[in-house]
Amino acid sequence: VVLEKTICYIISKEMLIQVLGNTFIEIILFSIFRVNIVKNVFFKDIIIDSLLLELFQCFKLKKYVNKEVIFYQNKDNENAQKNDKILLIIEGSLYYEGNKLLFAGKGSVVGEDILFKDSITLKKNIIAMPDCIALESSSEPIRKILGIEKNKAEGKQFNLYKRISKLKKLNLFK
């Protein structure tokens, strides 16, 4: 039921191909990626346009079904390998298993703290509710692009993130 004047647009697959070309899915996913990655607290300060496409190419579209475990509870780092990923949630949400407390929602980038640690410390599994569509990448290619060495990121290593952060603090004009 519509109570006001409404305009509906129907965009067919053929029209998308005509306007955007055969790679329309990648173009749409890249647009979603770009909008959300620059809003992220970690990435917004280090992302420059020339890195966006390179980072995007590390991510693959993945669908998680309702109640599927995405990040596993840590027990002596036994699940560290399974948790070594970064997600950008396109649709759906992630919840703590058992208590229905929201972990992350649509548009969130999660797992980026894995770039600076060996694993994410979790006391409960993180599950998809309902089905969740996300862009997913292992942390390793992201570390390489950003110049972050595993296990040394919190040390004195002067990686790309730290160099860009330093540049932002320079007083260029007095």
Side-chain angles (χ1 to χ4, degrees), residues 48-98:
I48 52 177
D49 285 341
S50 61
L51 286 178
L52 274 173
L53 185 57
E54 192 175 355
L55 286 172
F56 174 71
Q57 291 170 343
C58 298
F59 287 82
K60 301 292 178 227
L61 192 62
K62 176 132 184 181
K63 180 180 180 185
Y64 293 97
V65 295
N66 190 30
K67 298 187 180 176
E68 181 178 350
V69 176
I70 298 175
F71 290 106
Y72 291 84
Q73 174 183 1
N74 292 83
K75 294 180 182 175
D76 301 322
N77 284 336
E78 69 183 48
N79 291 316
Q81 186 81 19
K82 294 176 186 175
N83 289 345
D84 185 19
K85 58 186 158 194
I86 298 169
L87 298 178
L88 188 157
I89 303 168
I90 295 174
E91 194 63 48
S93 299
L94 307 182
Y95 286 86
Y96 290 95
E97 188 174 44

Side-chain angles (χ1 to χ4, degrees), residues 108-152:
S108 299
V109 178
V110 293
E112 70 274 16
D113 54 338
I114 194 73
L115 294 171
F116 294 104
K117 301 175 187 172
D118 285 329
S119 65
I120 300 172
T121 304
L122 295 171
K123 294 181 180 175
K124 291 186 177 249
N125 289 336
I126 304 298
I127 60 172
M129 279 185 60
D131 291 355
C132 183
I133 299 171
L135 288 171
E136 176 183 300
S137 175
S138 166
S139 67
E140 199 56 39
I142 307 296
R143 277 193 194 100
K144 286 180 182 175
I145 291 168
L146 298 178
I148 300 170
E149 290 183 37
K150 192 172 184 177
N151 299 326
K152 293 183 180 178

